[in-house]
């Protein structure tokens, strides 16, 4: 990998042309994987109708993807060192595109979920690899700016994903939300092959097979149990408890193993770094609340307001626009004044915006809702990538791949827990009003509502709006809790480590 020039100073924080060229390649791959999450989020009602399946069942098209992401991320740090980031990045792109094409050919919801898992194996490696490639290319003194560049997919996902997904579903069919990845993936493959620097893989570290056999299945089983909550409706179900308990046991066994081996799959010694520890805690709580609520916004517009998929996507655009405004500024400020103050401001903005959604009703005005989404987007731009920066800016070259892998595991696992939890809360809060026929206790679709008398329709929608409001309230309270670890993030510019042993002592 290309490293920063030996003579570069900490004050030299401009990203040069070579780094920007690498950034453009990395961002292209990341955009593709993140767009796919948000594109599918607006397609869930379409899958319900197309495959005659319940919301809890089609939600596995999201959950299966996330489970695959979580299970493959632990391998990425070691594989990046062993085989080289360029080769691994190209392999991840091929897997992702192949999975996308297969998803477009799915004949039922089971096959779609299976192909989404394959797609997730590729997508799970793209973001941690991109972070590793970018951080190594730019050097630690420019991590804030690098994270701002990598934040571009985070902006385009909320803006472009729902709009693109809604448009493709309206004018063509759901198959095209996956086929669109074929031309984008082809461009990403060619540019990555040409632009990314030649690999220099290391052969010094042996692969932690024991760690892999403990952590990857452990994460997958635990998240499977948690993600089954919306379908079972109770944590007492064997489908939740058995994989959940086995998963926790495997993860605990991995922790015991990791602190006793020289080259563990995930280096838990990184937690000796106080700054990284608080960044991990902040990211965990933030991801549970923010991503848990994020899945519900398109469903609210689709189901309560009866919008089309395209309009639901357009209505989510202010969130991305808000992030677009603040993320580049936050990236520059992190390098100058540290991440602590910026993350706290971001969390307060998210809490303020989400508080509006705790009061939603059937007739809540769009100006208020769109303004709240814009404020939340501004908060996200000040929170997510600065928290990543706080974790990575004190790491040396040797530790960057492991640190970025750790942060991505945390983000994906916490996001999965958040979406499952919020789905359970939403489902549990939906109560069929008096006069509604049997079968309207779940989340109603437009076809079901059309068959009800007008007064019952309003009652059903009112109940559904209240359920969304209660769920958003829980998500907002989780964001309030995130303020606690965020308060311990550094509020001054961090000194950069100059020695590999320094990483565990900061």
């Amino acid at each position: 990998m290309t490293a920063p020039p030996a003579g570069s100073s900490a004050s030299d924080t401009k990203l040069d042309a070579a780094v920007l060229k690498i950034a453009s390649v990395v961002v292209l791959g990341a955009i593709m994987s993140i767009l796919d999450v948000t594109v599918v989020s607006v397609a869930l009602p379409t899958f319900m109708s197309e495959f005659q399946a319940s919301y809890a069942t089609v939600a596995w098209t999201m959950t299966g993807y996330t489970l695959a992401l979580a299970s493959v991320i632990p391998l990425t740090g070691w594989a990046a060192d062993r085989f080289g980031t360029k080769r691994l990045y190209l392999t991840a792109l091929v897997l992702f595109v192949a999975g996308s094409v297969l998803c477009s050919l799915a004949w039922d919801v089971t096959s779609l979920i299976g192909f989404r898992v394959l797609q997730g194996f590729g997508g799970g490696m793209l973001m941690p690899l991109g972070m590793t490639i970018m951080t190594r290319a730019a050097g630690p003194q420019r991590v804030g700016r690098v994270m701002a560049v990598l934040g571009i997919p985070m902006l385009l996902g909320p803006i472009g994903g729902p709009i693109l997904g809604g448009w493709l579903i309206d004018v063509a069919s759901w198959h095209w939300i996956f086929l669109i990845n074929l031309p984008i993936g082809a461009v990403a493959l060619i540019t990555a092959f040409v632009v990314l620097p030649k690999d220099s893989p290391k052969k010094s570290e042996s692969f932690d097979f024991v760690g892999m056999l403990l952590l990857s299945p452990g994460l997958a089983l635990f998240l499977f149990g948690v993600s089954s909550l919306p379908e079972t409706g109770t944590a007492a179900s064997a489908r939740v408890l058995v994989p959940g308990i086995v998963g926790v046991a495997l993860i605990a066994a991995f922790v015991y193993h990791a602190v006793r081996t020289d080259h563990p799959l995930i280096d838990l010694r990184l937690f000796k770094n106080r700054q990284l520890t608080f960044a991990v805690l902040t990211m965990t709580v933030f991801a549970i609340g923010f991503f848990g609520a994020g899945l519900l916004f398109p469903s609210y517009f689709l189901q309560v307001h009866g919008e089309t998929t395209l309009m639901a996507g357009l209505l989510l655009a202010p969130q991305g626009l808000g992030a677009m405004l603040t993320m580049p500024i936050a990236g520059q400020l992190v390098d100058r004044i540290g991440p602590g103050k910026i993350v706290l401001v971001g969390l307060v903005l998210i809490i303020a915006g989400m508080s509006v959604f705790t009061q939603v009703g059937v007739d809540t005005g769009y100006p208020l809702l769109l303004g709240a989404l814009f404020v939340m987007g501004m908060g996200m731009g000040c929170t997510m990538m600065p928290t990543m920066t706080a974790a990575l800016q004190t790491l040396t070259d040797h530790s960057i791949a492991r640190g970025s892998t750790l942060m991505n595991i945390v983000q994906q696992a916490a996001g999965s827990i958040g979406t499952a939890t919020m789905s359970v809360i939403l489902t549990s809060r939906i109560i069929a009003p008096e006069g509604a026929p049997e079968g309207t206790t779940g989340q109603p679709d437009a076809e079901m509502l059309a068959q009800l008398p007008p007064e019952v329709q309003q009652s059903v929608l009112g109940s559904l709006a209240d359920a969304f409001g209660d769920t958003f309230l829980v998500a907002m309270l989780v964001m309030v809790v995130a303020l606690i670890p965020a308060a311990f993030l550094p509020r001054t510019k961090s000194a950069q480590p100059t020695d590999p042993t320094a990483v565990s002592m900061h």
Side-chain angles (χ1 to χ4, degrees):
M1 297 308 316
T2 54
S8 65
S9 64
S11 61
D12 180 20
T13 57
K14 283 189 72 174
L15 298 179
D16 54 58
V19 173
L20 288 173
K21 194 181 289 186
I22 293 171
S24 65
V25 174
V26 168
V27 164
L28 190 60
I31 283 174
M32 190 168 59
S33 63
I34 291 171
L35 270 179
D36 216 64
V37 175
T38 51
V39 162
V40 172
S41 70
V42 298
L44 295 184
T46 303
F47 293 153
M48 289 170 65
S49 173
E50 182 75 21
F51 298 120
Q52 298 297 302
S54 68
Y55 182 87
T57 300
V58 299
W60 279 98
T61 60
M62 302 276 289
T63 307
Y65 182 82
T66 309
L67 287 176
L69 252 66
S71 61
V72 78
I73 286 173
L75 308 178
T76 307
W78 170 83
D81 288 341
R82 177 63 181 82
F83 300 110
T85 49
K86 181 175 182 175
R87 293 176 201 168
L88 199 60
Y89 195 77
L90 292 171
T91 302
L93 283 171
V94 170
L95 272 175
F96 184 85
V97 173
S100 299
V101 173
L102 288 170
C103 283
S104 73
L105 302 174
W107 54 90
D108 59 21
V109 72
T110 305
S111 61
L112 179 59
I113 292 168
F115 294 142
R116 283 283 285 166
V117 168
L118 175 63
Q119 195 184 30
F121 285 137
M125 292 187 280
L126 288 175
M127 187 53 93
L129 279 172
M131 290 171 65
T132 301
I133 291 168
M134 284 290 293
T135 309
R136 285 179 176 174
Q141 74 276 14
R142 297 183 287 184
V143 169
R145 303 236 174 162
V146 163
M147 289 298 114
V149 172
L150 274 177
I152 292 172
M154 304 295 176
L155 306 178
L156 295 180
I159 299 175
I163 296 172
L164 178 64
W167 178 72
L168 287 171
I169 290 168
D170 281 355
V171 303
S173 70
W174 65 267
H175 306 82
W176 284 95
I177 66 175
F178 299 111
L179 284 173
I180 195 71
N181 290 326
L182 189 56
I184 300 174
V187 173
L189 269 170
I190 294 167
T191 52
F193 184 79
V194 173
V195 172
L196 293 185
K198 190 177 179 181
D199 283 325
S200 301
K202 304 170 185 175
K203 298 186 178 180
S204 56
E205 293 188 8
S206 57
F207 181 54
D208 181 15
F209 279 106
V210 174
M212 182 196 73
L213 293 173
L214 292 172
L215 184 58
S216 288
L219 276 172
L221 284 168
F222 172 70
L223 293 178
F224 177 85
V226 171
S227 301
S228 297
L229 276 168
E231 267 185 291
T232 62
T234 174
S237 166
R239 183 171 171 181
V240 175
L241 279 178
V242 174
I245 291 171
V246 173
V248 168
L250 288 172
I251 293 170
F254 169 77
V255 171
Y256 180 83
H257 161 79
V259 296
R260 286 165 174 76
T261 189
D262 291 334
H263 303 295
L265 193 65
I266 298 297
D267 190 357
L268 299 181
R269 298 179 189 88
L270 290 172
F271 283 109
K272 292 180 182 178
N273 181 328
R274 181 178 180 273
Q275 184 169 321
L276 179 137
T277 300
F278 282 114
V280 166
L281 290 171
T282 304
M283 178 59 73
T284 300
V285 185
F286 163 79
I288 289 172
F290 189 82
F291 293 115
L295 185 66
L296 302 180
F297 291 124
S299 294
Y300 169 74
F301 287 121
L302 288 165
Q303 296 175 320
V304 176
H305 288 273
E307 297 294 354
T308 63
T309 50
L310 175 57
M311 184 54 70
L314 288 167
L315 289 168
L316 294 177
Q319 190 172 36
L321 294 172
M324 184 178 289
L325 179 69
T326 57
M327 192 174 287
I329 300 169
Q332 293 186 35
L333 289 175
V334 165
D335 288 333
R336 294 176 187 170
I337 65 172
K341 297 172 187 174
I342 298 164
V343 173
L344 285 171
V345 169
L347 288 171
V348 170
L349 287 171
I350 293 171
I351 291 164
M354 202 174 285
S355 67
V356 171
F357 279 87
T358 66
Q359 305 301 312
V360 289
V362 178
D363 301 317
T364 305
Y366 279 178
L368 179 62
L369 296 176
L370 300 187
L373 284 169
F374 182 76
V375 171
M376 285 182 64
M378 291 175 64
M380 195 271 268
C382 294
T383 304
M384 187 162 177
M385 301 318 281
T387 303
M388 289 280 194
T389 301
L392 299 182
Q393 68 183 175
T394 57
L395 302 184
T396 56
D397 182 77
H398 174 74
S399 303
I400 288 170
R402 303 305 174 90
S404 62
T405 299
L406 175 63
M407 287 301 288
N408 276 273
I409 289 173
V410 166
Q411 180 190 324
Q412 293 297 337
S416 297
I417 292 168
T419 53
T421 303
M422 299 307 160
S423 295
V424 170
I425 294 168
L426 177 64
T427 304
S428 68
R429 296 299 299 163
I430 296 172
I431 303 167
E434 202 172 325
E438 192 177 343
T440 57
T441 53
Q443 297 184 49
D445 56 27
E447 197 176 312
M448 181 190 297
L449 279 172
Q451 297 171 1
L452 301 177
E455 65 276 7
V456 179
Q457 282 186 32
Q458 285 301 108
S459 186
V460 170
L461 290 175
S463 172
L464 190 57
D466 290 342
F468 274 103
D470 292 345
T471 310
F472 286 127
L473 175 61
V474 175
M476 188 193 78
L477 294 175
V478 172
M479 300 307 300
V480 171
V481 174
L483 290 168
I484 299 171
F488 292 92
L489 294 176
R491 301 186 196 183
T492 57
K493 183 177 178 179
S494 294
Q496 304 303 332
T498 55
D499 182 85
T501 58
V503 65
S504 64
M505 303 308 295
H506 278 278

